[in-house]
Amino acid sequence: MDSDSVGGVDRRRLLGWGGLSAAGMVSAGAPLLGARPARADAAPTGSGVPADTRPGGAYDRYMAKLAAEGRFSGVVLLSHRGRTVLSRCYGMADEERGVPNGEHTAFSLNSAGKPFHAVAILQLAQRGLLRLSDTVGTHLTGYAREIAEQVTIHHLLTGTSGMRTPDEDVQRVFQSRKEVHEFYERWARQATPEAPPGTPSSHSGAEVAIPAQIIEAVTGQSYWDYVQENIFERCGMDGSGFYTRPQWLTDRRIAHPYMALTDGGHVDAVRHLDQGSSDPYVLGKNPGRAFIDAPGDGGFATAPDLVRFARALGDGTLLDRHYAELFTGPKIPLAPEGGGLARRAAPADASFGAYQMPVGLVGGQWVWGRAGANPGVGAGWTIYPDTGWVGVILTNRDGAPLWEILEQETRAVIGPGRGAGTADRYASGQLRSSR
């Protein structure tokens, strides 16, 4: 492969990934009925901006219809080569206080935040502080011998550790950062070998927790502090962070998650920990039960901040070129999957697992990204490096068809008939909603 390309992407295109210039940021306007443009839409012109991506285009109309039907509350954003083409905000961030969602509202990312720990690991590898071939036991103690001696960091980042992690205590409500940290440290050490390293691992939670522990062992910082300083702050992601439940309750900039009730209503999950369902799974996945997201997972971000993250991956802010290539490069082939999250059998042209996210070819173009959904929350960010597009979808209410929205976004960016494989890429790429 030419050293000036990334997976078929010209280096000059890589440096032109979508983003937002600091001068272009303005505050969201006053709430209006229906769609709320976060700024005056000044769509670029030219063949690089399909009509379906523009204000009033097919994607905009689709999202407006979902919101009008009560099926979407949140923010969607499309950016092309550093300029916002479409930005729409719907619904309420906090119904009780009458706070509307806006472009600068921070949403819970759940699994869409997992790639942050992969970027952090690659930063440390780039500095020579660890190797991707290091085993778990190189940096940590207290793990089963087979895991400590045979499972490598590469296995963890690709989801091929062969480990099994015990189920979590879904009834537990955490009260402090220290309690969260200690719990997940003990929980990860209960992982057991289930298959030889190199075997896909049925979404083992330890594959998320162990890299975070390695980051802490190497740097002497908490995972949360390291990512805040070396990813969020470096990218200028001023609205992003690992917020605690007290912050979630009091900060008007953070969207509350609204979980569906059996009677068709919704409940504010962050205010009402144990309401919404008697199902232990739903109770356990209630995002309001957490004090802070587990190390290696989650976080909160605004839509413009996720575009900044995408831009920083391509311009050398986060990783040198070869490590950026390593982050997004295809690692393992993924079989096409129909049904499930995708609800259809039409696959991407080709799908691969990269580091904590899937990548794929859709319509002859690379598509990179990560998504995640739990009751009351959903998030997805997608990079289209061949053409400089970035798409963000953030929602805070049950009922949003996240995977269908992802398909519509890809169809708008790449062209008619090209979005159907996107949901399959996410499903095949292990974009599961939790640990």
Side-chain angles (χ1 to χ4, degrees):
M1 181 178 67
D2 189 311
S3 61
D4 204 35
S5 66
V6 180
V9 182
D10 184 88
R11 172 63 175 160
R12 290 168 294 181
R13 293 184 183 177
L14 177 65
L15 293 175
W17 288 357
L20 294 169
S21 63
M25 303 309 300
V26 295
S27 298
L32 303 173
L33 293 176
R36 293 185 296 276
R39 68 188 66 174
D41 289 309
T45 59
S47 60
V49 181
D52 285 351
T53 65
R54 301 182 188 186
Y59 184 59
D60 193 12
R61 297 195 305 271
Y62 166 78
M63 292 307 307
K65 183 174 185 293
L66 284 183
E69 295 170 348
R71 299 175 62 201
F72 184 80
S73 170
V75 175
V76 293
L77 189 152
L78 291 176
S79 173
H80 181 245
R81 300 197 186 285
R83 293 188 63 182
T84 296
V85 174
L86 181 71
S87 179
R88 292 288 187 254
C89 311
Y90 301 93
M92 305 299 290
D94 186 340
E95 293 180 358
E96 184 172 304
R97 291 188 290 181
V99 180
N101 284 320
E103 190 180 64
H104 299 289
T105 302
F107 291 77
S108 174
L109 296 178
N110 48 87
S111 289
K114 284 184 171 70
F116 296 146
H117 79 247
V119 172
I121 287 286
L122 290 174
Q123 288 178 339
L124 300 177
Q126 183 177 289
R127 292 166 56 190
L129 298 178
L130 56 77
R131 296 176 182 270
L132 297 172
S133 58
D134 287 350
T135 62
V136 171
T138 304
H139 302 281
L140 303 173
T141 60
Y143 284 89
R145 180 176 177 180
E146 296 93 329
I147 293 173
E149 295 181 356
Q150 298 178 28
V151 174
T152 67
I153 293 174
H154 174 80
H155 290 140
L156 298 170
L157 297 186
T158 54
T160 59
S161 70
M163 295 188 302
R164 181 184 182 280
T165 315
D167 294 335
E168 296 180 62
D169 177 2
V170 299
Q171 301 297 326
R172 182 159 189 163
V173 178
F174 295 99
Q175 303 297 332
S176 69
R177 285 167 55 114
K178 180 181 179 182
E179 187 179 344
V180 172
H181 191 278
E182 291 177 348
F183 173 85
Y184 283 103
E185 192 170 70
R186 291 193 304 269
W187 176 69
R189 282 179 165 80
Q190 297 172 37
T192 55
E194 186 176 49
T199 305
S201 310
S202 302
H203 196 56
S204 171
E207 291 176 341
V208 177
I210 294 174
Q213 292 177 19
I214 291 173
I215 291 164
E216 293 178 339
V218 169
T219 66
Q221 293 180 273
S222 75
Y223 172 79
W224 303 303
D225 290 343
Y226 179 88
V227 172
Q228 187 74 43
E229 178 182 334
N230 293 279
I231 296 180
F232 297 162
E233 292 180 10
R234 194 179 293 187
C235 294
M237 297 169 66
D238 296 334
S240 301
F242 293 97
Y243 301 129
T244 63
R245 184 168 180 267
Q247 289 173 295
W248 208 347
L249 284 166
T250 58
D251 194 328
R252 296 169 66 89
R253 297 170 299 175
I254 305 175
H256 287 221
Y258 289 91
M259 295 172 59
L261 296 168
T262 55
D263 63 6
H266 287 77
V267 64
D268 181 335
V270 75
R271 284 197 175 96
H272 306 285
L273 287 178
D274 299 317
Q275 296 183 27
S277 176
S278 60
D279 185 329
Y281 175 82
V282 174
L283 285 174
K285 304 310 175 188
N286 180 344
R289 299 182 71 85
F291 186 86
I292 190 172
D293 279 317
D297 205 354
F300 292 77
T302 67
D305 277 358
L306 290 172
V307 176
R308 291 189 181 96
F309 172 70
R311 186 182 184 187
L313 284 172
D315 66 9
T317 298
L318 287 174
L319 295 166
D320 291 346
R321 176 169 65 90
H322 292 100
Y323 281 89
E325 293 175 358
L326 181 59
F327 175 57
T328 59
K331 307 296 189 300
I332 54 174
L334 301 172
E337 293 184 12
L341 297 176
R343 297 187 303 280
R344 64 181 66 208
D349 302 339
S351 298
F352 305 89
Y355 278 157
Q356 280 298 333
M357 66 176 186
V359 299
L361 287 166
V362 179
Q365 296 186 28
W366 283 108
V367 181
W368 307 332
R370 182 85 206 220
N374 270 334
V377 297
W381 51 268
T382 308
I383 301 170
Y384 304 85
D386 289 304
T387 52
W389 284 90
V390 179
V392 178
I393 304 161
L394 299 169
T395 182
N396 66 321
R397 192 178 184 89
D398 277 345
L402 181 59
W403 314 108
E404 182 181 292
I405 298 170
L406 284 162
E407 290 184 353
Q408 293 292 331
E409 175 197 285
T410 303
R411 184 174 292 119
V413 170
I414 294 180
R418 296 300 189 180
T422 305
D424 289 285
R425 179 177 58 84
Y426 278 87
S428 299
Q430 303 174 345
L431 291 193
R432 301 173 178 88
S433 59
S434 68
R435 292 170 178 267

